[in-house]
Amino acid sequence: MSAGLVAALREVLGDRGLVADGDDLEPYLRDWTGTVVGTALAVARPATTDEVAEVVRLCAAEGVAVVPQGGHTGLNGGATPRHDGPSVVLSLTRMRRIRDVDPVSDTVTVEAGVVLADLQEAAQGVGRLFPVSLGSEGSATVGGIVSTNAGGTAVLRYGMTRDLVLGLEVVLPDGRVWHGLRALRKDNTGYDLTQLFVGAEGTLGVVTAAVLRLLPATPRRATALVALPDVGSAVALLGRLREHAAESLTTWELVGRQALDLVLAHVPGARDPFAQARPWYGLVELAGVDQGALDAQLEGALGAAVEEGLVADAVVATGSAQRAALWVLREGVSEAQRVEGPSVKHDVTLPITGLADAVAALAPRLDAVLPGVRLVTYGHVGDGNLHHNLTAPVGQEDALRAAAPELTAAVYDEVIARGGSISAEHGLGRTKVGAHQQRTSEVELDLMRAVKSAIDPAGLMNPGAVLPG
Amino acid sequence: MSAGLVAALREVLGDRGLVADGDDLEPYLRDWTGTVVGTALAVARPATTDEVAEVVRLCAAEGVAVVPQGGHTGLNGGATPRHDGPSVVLSLTRMRRIRDVDPVSDTVTVEAGVVLADLQEAAQGVGRLFPVSLGSEGSATVGGIVSTNAGGTAVLRYGMTRDLVLGLEVVLPDGRVWHGLRALRKDNTGYDLTQLFVGAEGTLGVVTAAVLRLLPATPRRATALVALPDVGSAVALLGRLREHAAESLTTWELVGRQALDLVLAHVPGARDPFAQARPWYGLVELAGVDQGALDAQLEGALGAAVEEGLVADAVVATGSAQRAALWVLREGVSEAQRVEGPSVKHDVTLPITGLADAVAALAPRLDAVLPGVRLVTYGHVGDGNLHHNLTAPVGQEDALRAAAPELTAAVYDEVIARGGSISAEHGLGRTKVGAHQQRTSEVELDLMRAVKSAIDPAGLMNPGAVLPG
């Protein structure tokens, strides 16, 4: 069967559009973290929507699963094929045409394989902003950020990818194409099918193109790093920033001392701008069109915060070099932790009101599981979204690996008990499906299963992602 | 059967919670426009989520349709029961508890029957803004604005109601309750069930409560009325406003001369601030925290627009009384047109790029159907959403009524041909279902039917709304 399918796919896609050789397949089968590895009959690399539709039809006819894949930068294995059961990986990276950029409607129509950085650049070229910004933007694709509802460092102001999607073109599990590429701000004609496919991780169909919103460019910035006594102060400062800066507030990121220490140790050129060590740091950025107004807003908010004792120390960037140096302290965390050794990652949200208490409760609970575990906490306070990534006590990497399931259960149970979510922005992929099933009500799982069966009755679209396969 | 059901409902709800008498029923059976009238066995008025669940279970057991109803201000009959087949109207207006207001998380948890104006006031009470603002806000309820994905005059800046809903509590068609009241900015754990219920007009379940986002208060305003030579200038001015004011731009409403004439004729105290009549008028409002900055932004944008010849004349409000006088010219249109006589209403969107051409194409097309028909156009340029409401030539009301189907078909066909939508913000309700079915692809209708059958297999939730009953 598989030889026949591969031959049929080659017929449709040509040699350039098909990868079926063992060595060439490998990069498509192993995820970015290197921990999730699957198998596939072949990788299909269609160049057009019609070719995608034909691939899906051929696979459906043979009962072979389709696993859509973009830049393959996901952290939960959602775009990596499973081990068991035949799959074809459907890589969208050849569909990288920017079909339309419209600075009057403030929309862009882009194919699934367009890289996020290229999209940002296209927006900038017409004096606009596409605001999704994240570490992997040089590889992540439109199809991927739409299918995982990606977040990043500007969600506070602009929302998730979901909030920026106006229309989609989707190849459905039966190979038909839903032409939903509407460039409309308002469209109340029935169920929001667009939002159903956003964040569905390719389990309901293959996103082949999207109409996305562009925003006014905000070329001026005011950036500060603040040293904070505790998470409660970070939350209170968020309020002050909102009061003084309203929507100018674009970024409000927290970095714990453990995280900063790793950056200072492993990222070349990283420098602590403060004389004294503090337990928490906040990176604040306002963006807009009027430098004077932004500076005044930032100064007003920080002044009020210092007076209230929320901020122990602060440094305001005086130019782009200093701004970049402050950003390194936040953006370097992930890489620095990778250099330090293996880690157990968590991407959770909580209601912002409960953030400080949750962080306080988490540390002793994790320490009881693995004494001395290093709780490297950082992330997006303005969204209630912190990454609690655990690094082993020095030299105890094996103990960390052994304790990982129990540590993760502790994080998730604490978060769920406080009204939070076990996946803020990374999705469920494959690796979080079990944890989600255990902690979700039967009513909610029934609704999810009903949606999946309604749209993909044969269960061939990325089986095992989002729901058990 | 019906007597048994009514008795069982009375048992659950008590006398206060049930209306079964003919005269008392009447207001629940006739829509706001007075043109859609249906029948019902009774009106259930539950006071709690448990009571709602019990009503839905009892109706499901008897195969009786449930028609959820809020403030009953909808314009397409979506909350008015049908003529044929037994229905119970489920009025949520007794569920009017504000369960929680949290200015730290910037969220509010409110029951379905809370009136929009009360919600706005609750937000204001903690120094925040709930930005949905529309003519019927004194009657419209949370359940209604969520179920219809209501728009209004601040969508340009804040999005539709959909963009403000974080979580929902929903009674499902089988009477089970989905507890999805999460107050999270980010939650990527599977399909977005919340957004599936938003805008579903009660056809997938009954929204009983919602967690909604609050925004920073923007107490300062800068408001202007501009006179414009054509719709193209209005679109171009939108661009200038965005460049100068970025997200401060909250409102950009267009009023055609015909609409203004009706307001001047019928709204007491309405006054044309300009010496010379022009074909189009724009109401512009910026909102923020710094009056000086807003004034400078507005002045900068208008200055640039005057220089380019986009604006023929402009008046900037110098105080709240003058601001209110300018708003009357926009907000008075609907009422003024009602006083003038019957009208045929349309609520459509287009890609903003194509707005001017569409308006230009529409006028002769409608005039060919009914010579002299008055095209009263106004609405939200920033969203591509204009209301084309047609008033009869003087004394020809009967001709208007006779030509109504053909006029509406002309508007819808023109809009669809230009990539637009036949319902921007009012939903499909009952009255637009036929027009939507005729102009929507089979693939899209299949997806909608699949969703409906998956969640409401018996088809008892508001049958005939959104999809044919």
Side-chain angles (χ1 to χ4, degrees):
Chain A
M1 174 201 75
S2 73
L5 177 61
V6 171
L9 290 171
R10 196 181 299 277
E11 183 81 16
V12 171
L13 302 170
D15 281 340
R16 212 182 140 203
L18 197 78
V19 181
D21 176 70
D23 282 356
D24 296 342
L25 276 178
E26 213 280 337
Y28 298 92
L29 308 181
R30 178 184 296 277
D31 84 333
W32 186 83
T33 67
T35 55
V36 183
V37 187
T39 62
L41 302 174
V43 176
R45 300 176 65 242
T48 66
T49 303
D50 286 345
E51 287 184 4
V52 174
E54 194 53 33
V55 170
V56 169
R57 266 193 298 270
L58 287 168
C59 290
E62 301 282 348
V64 168
V66 172
V67 181
Q69 191 177 93
H72 208 186
T73 59
L75 294 171
N76 295 321
T80 307
R82 56 194 179 162
H83 268 296
D84 51 330
S87 302
V88 164
V89 171
L90 178 48
S91 170
L92 280 302
T93 50
R94 282 179 69 210
M95 288 192 64
R96 54 195 311 156
R97 206 156 56 87
I98 295 178
R99 293 187 191 168
D100 181 51
V101 182
D102 180 347
V104 175
S105 290
D106 277 336
T107 54
V108 61
T109 308
V110 282
E111 293 185 345
V114 170
V115 171
L116 175 52
D118 294 339
L119 165 55
Q120 292 166 342
E121 206 178 298
Q124 216 175 353
V126 294
R128 297 293 184 273
L129 173 74
F130 182 73
V132 175
S133 175
L134 32 85
S136 60
E137 61 199 25
S139 311
T141 59
V142 165
I145 66 167
V146 167
S147 295
T148 59
N149 184 28
T153 54
V155 173
L156 176 59
R157 177 167 181 173
Y158 296 107
M160 303 285 281
T161 299
R162 180 181 302 289
D163 299 301
L164 302 164
V165 180
L166 293 178
L168 292 178
E169 177 185 272
V170 180
V171 174
L172 300 177
D174 62 5
R176 292 192 299 171
V177 181
W178 174 52
H179 295 285
L181 279 181
R182 272 164 281 204
L184 302 174
R185 301 283 154 170
K186 292 176 166 179
D187 178 22
N188 273 352
T189 52
Y191 307 132
D192 195 332
L193 301 172
T194 301
Q195 295 302 336
L196 197 55
F197 292 106
V198 176
E201 305 195 36
T203 63
L204 302 178
V206 185
V207 171
T208 51
V211 180
L212 304 169
R213 289 174 58 200
L214 298 178
L215 279 292
T218 51
R220 307 280 168 240
R221 274 150 213 284
T223 311
L225 188 78
V226 295
L228 303 158
D230 47 42
V231 177
S233 299
V235 170
L237 178 54
L238 173 66
R240 292 308 157 278
L241 286 163
R242 282 227 168 95
E243 281 152 26
H244 284 81
E247 279 102 334
S248 300
L249 178 62
T250 303
T251 297
W252 178 197
E253 299 280 303
L254 192 70
V255 178
R257 181 72 215 184
Q258 296 261 28
L260 189 71
D261 283 340
L262 294 183
V263 173
L264 296 175
H266 297 302
V267 176
R271 203 181 64 76
D272 184 349
F274 300 117
Q276 195 184 332
R278 307 279 184 178
W280 297 96
Y281 299 86
L283 180 71
V284 174
E285 193 160 275
L286 317 188
V289 290
D290 177 344
Q291 189 68 52
L294 295 174
D295 291 342
Q297 289 169 354
L298 183 59
E299 198 175 311
L302 293 182
V306 168
E307 225 163 81
E308 286 180 70
L310 301 175
V311 166
D313 210 340
V315 50
V316 177
T318 53
S320 60
Q322 205 177 355
R323 172 173 304 120
L326 298 183
W327 268 95
V328 162
L329 303 179
R330 162 63 186 88
E331 294 215 310
V333 176
S334 184
E335 183 55 25
Q337 192 167 26
R338 185 141 88 147
V339 174
E340 179 75 8
S343 64
V344 182
K345 295 181 194 298
H346 305 97
D347 162 47
V348 298
T349 30
L350 286 154
I352 295 166
T353 318
L355 213 51
D357 287 351
V359 172
L362 209 50
R365 193 162 172 174
L366 295 171
D367 206 65
V369 176
L370 179 65
V373 66
R374 284 179 284 172
L375 177 48
V376 176
T377 293
Y378 64 103
H380 323 290
V381 168
D383 315 316
N385 171 203
L386 295 182
H387 302 293
H388 301 288
N389 292 355
L390 312 180
T391 288
V394 175
Q396 295 188 39
E397 283 73 18
D398 288 346
L400 178 75
R401 260 183 284 265
E406 205 182 332
L407 291 165
T408 293
V411 171
Y412 289 172
D413 290 344
E414 190 68 44
V415 161
I416 293 289
R418 292 169 182 275
S421 164
I422 67 165
S423 184
E425 53 179 16
H426 296 170
L428 294 175
R430 280 175 219 295
T431 58
K432 280 189 174 181
V433 170
H436 176 252
Q437 293 273 314
Q438 284 163 24
R439 292 172 180 83
T440 305
S441 74
E442 209 47 37
V443 173
E444 186 158 324
L445 292 177
D446 275 353
L447 283 168
M448 285 177 59
R449 288 185 286 246
V451 167
K452 170 74 173 175
S453 309
I455 313 288
D456 179 26
L460 291 177
M461 296 308 305
N462 206 7
V466 179
L467 287 165
Chain B
M1 176 201 72
S2 73
L5 177 60
V6 170
L9 289 172
R10 194 181 300 277
E11 182 80 17
V12 170
L13 303 170
D15 281 342
R16 213 183 139 202
L18 197 79
V19 180
D21 176 69
D23 283 356
D24 296 341
L25 277 179
E26 213 279 339
Y28 297 92
L29 308 181
R30 179 183 297 275
D31 85 332
W32 186 84
T33 67
T35 55
V36 183
V37 187
T39 61
L41 302 174
V43 176
R45 300 177 65 241
T48 66
T49 303
D50 285 347
E51 286 183 6
V52 174
E54 192 55 32
V55 169
V56 170
R57 265 194 297 269
L58 287 168
C59 290
E62 301 281 347
V64 168
V66 172
V67 180
Q69 191 177 93
H72 209 185
T73 60
L75 295 171
N76 295 322
T80 308
R82 57 196 176 161
H83 268 296
D84 50 332
S87 301
V88 165
V89 171
L90 178 49
S91 170
L92 280 301
T93 49
R94 283 179 69 211
M95 287 192 64
R96 54 195 309 156
R97 206 154 57 88
I98 295 179
R99 292 188 192 169
D100 181 52
V101 182
D102 179 348
V104 176
S105 290
D106 277 335
T107 54
V108 62
T109 308
V110 282
E111 293 185 346
V114 170
V115 170
L116 175 52
D118 294 339
L119 166 55
Q120 293 165 342
E121 205 179 297
Q124 216 175 353
V126 294
R128 297 291 184 274
L129 172 74
F130 182 72
V132 175
S133 175
L134 30 86
S136 60
E137 62 197 23
S139 310
T141 59
V142 166
I145 65 167
V146 167
S147 294
T148 60
N149 185 28
T153 54
V155 173
L156 177 58
R157 178 167 181 173
Y158 297 108
M160 304 285 280
T161 299
R162 180 182 301 291
D163 299 301
L164 302 165
V165 180
L166 294 178
L168 292 177
E169 178 185 271
V170 180
V171 173
L172 300 177
D174 62 6
R176 292 191 299 170
V177 181
W178 175 51
H179 295 284
L181 279 181
R182 272 164 281 202
L184 301 174
R185 300 286 154 166
K186 292 176 166 178
D187 178 21
N188 271 352
T189 52
Y191 308 132
D192 196 332
L193 302 171
T194 301
Q195 295 301 336
L196 197 57
F197 292 105
V198 176
E201 305 194 38
T203 64
L204 303 177
V206 185
V207 172
T208 50
V211 180
L212 303 169
R213 288 173 58 199
L214 299 179
L215 279 292
T218 51
R220 307 282 168 239
R221 275 151 213 284
T223 311
L225 189 78
V226 295
L228 302 159
D230 47 42
V231 177
S233 300
V235 171
L237 178 54
L238 173 65
R240 294 305 160 277
L241 287 163
R242 281 229 168 95
E243 281 151 26
H244 284 80
E247 279 101 333
S248 301
L249 178 62
T250 304
T251 297
W252 178 200
E253 299 279 305
L254 192 72
V255 178
R257 182 71 216 184
Q258 295 261 30
L260 189 71
D261 282 342
L262 294 183
V263 173
L264 297 175
H266 298 301
V267 176
R271 201 182 64 77
D272 185 348
F274 301 116
Q276 195 182 332
R278 308 280 182 176
W280 297 96
Y281 299 87
L283 181 71
V284 173
E285 193 160 276
L286 318 189
V289 290
D290 176 345
Q291 189 68 52
L294 296 173
D295 291 343
Q297 290 169 355
L298 183 58
E299 199 176 308
L302 292 182
V306 168
E307 224 162 84
E308 287 179 71
L310 301 175
V311 167
D313 210 342
V315 50
V316 176
T318 53
S320 60
Q322 205 177 353
R323 172 172 304 120
L326 297 183
W327 267 95
V328 161
L329 303 178
R330 162 63 185 89
E331 296 216 309
V333 176
S334 184
E335 183 55 25
Q337 192 168 24
R338 185 139 88 146
V339 175
E340 180 73 8
S343 65
V344 182
K345 295 182 194 298
H346 305 96
D347 162 47
V348 298
T349 30
L350 286 155
I352 295 165
T353 317
L355 213 52
D357 286 350
V359 171
L362 207 52
R365 193 162 173 173
L366 295 171
D367 206 67
V369 176
L370 179 63
V373 64
R374 285 180 282 173
L375 176 50
V376 176
T377 293
Y378 65 102
H380 322 289
V381 169
D383 316 317
N385 172 204
L386 296 181
H387 302 292
H388 302 288
N389 293 353
L390 313 179
T391 287
V394 175
Q396 296 188 40
E397 283 72 17
D398 289 345
L400 179 74
R401 257 182 288 264
E406 206 183 331
L407 290 166
T408 293
V411 173
Y412 289 171
D413 290 344
E414 191 67 45
V415 162
I416 292 289
R418 293 171 182 273
S421 165
I422 67 165
S423 184
E425 54 179 15
H426 296 170
L428 294 175
R430 281 173 219 296
T431 58
K432 281 190 173 179
V433 170
H436 176 253
Q437 293 273 313
Q438 284 163 23
R439 292 172 179 84
T440 305
S441 74
E442 210 46 37
V443 173
E444 185 158 326
L445 292 177
D446 276 351
L447 283 169
M448 286 177 59
R449 289 186 283 247
V451 167
K452 171 75 172 174
S453 308
I455 312 287
D456 179 26
L460 292 177
M461 296 308 304
N462 206 8
V466 179
L467 288 165

